[in-house]
Amino acid sequence: MPADAVDINEATGVADDHELIRFSWTDPERFAEIFDRHAEAIHRYLARRIGRSVADDLAAETFLVAFRGREGYDVSQTDARPWLYGIAANLLRREQRTEVRQYRALARTGVDPV
């Protein structure tokens, strides 16, 4: 496929995720379409695991990490959701580890750092 060709999904008539990500390498604003498609699902995934307020921050950070790492995306994968869920899961684990460390510090010192 030529570099400027668009892989349009014949059923929906829109570009697939991998094409949008590839286009965003030279036109960063195209990544907003990935956000529009998947932000709600990523937020729901995180909210079920950690609560809505923290999920707001982690969902935003998921897309920031994805945007910054978009040039490393494997464009042979047409659906970006597994990649985005992986990023979200890694951020969730990091958040949970941080929370556990804070509770342990609180238990040791009896002083709430907040």
Side-chain angles (χ1 to χ4, degrees):
M1 179 181 315
D4 61 346
V6 178
D7 184 13
I8 301 294
N9 182 313
E10 291 180 21
T12 63
V14 296
D16 287 329
D17 290 349
H18 71 294
E19 284 297 319
L20 291 173
I21 291 171
R22 188 173 62 83
F23 292 148
S24 78
W25 296 346
T26 56
D27 182 7
E29 290 182 15
R30 294 296 300 266
F31 197 81
E33 294 176 60
I34 296 295
F35 178 86
D36 292 342
R37 285 183 185 180
H38 303 298
E40 187 177 325
I42 295 299
H43 187 272
R44 273 194 315 266
Y45 166 79
L46 291 165
R48 284 191 307 266
R49 285 155 182 79
I50 200 158
R52 293 192 69 78
S53 64
V54 178
D56 292 344
D57 292 337
L58 290 182
E61 190 172 353
T62 296
F63 284 92
L64 179 61
V65 169
F67 179 78
R68 288 179 177 163
R70 70 191 187 281
E71 290 190 14
Y73 180 77
D74 178 4
V75 292
S76 70
Q77 304 298 314
T78 59
D79 189 353
R81 283 178 298 181
W83 177 58
L84 294 169
Y85 281 120
I87 293 169
N90 288 338
L91 293 172
L92 179 62
R93 279 191 295 275
R94 186 186 72 191
E95 178 69 23
Q96 290 170 330
R97 284 191 307 267
T98 298
E99 191 173 273
V100 166
R101 281 194 300 271
Q102 288 174 341
Y103 282 129
R104 287 181 181 159
L106 177 60
R108 278 192 314 271
T109 64
V111 177
D112 188 349
V114 176

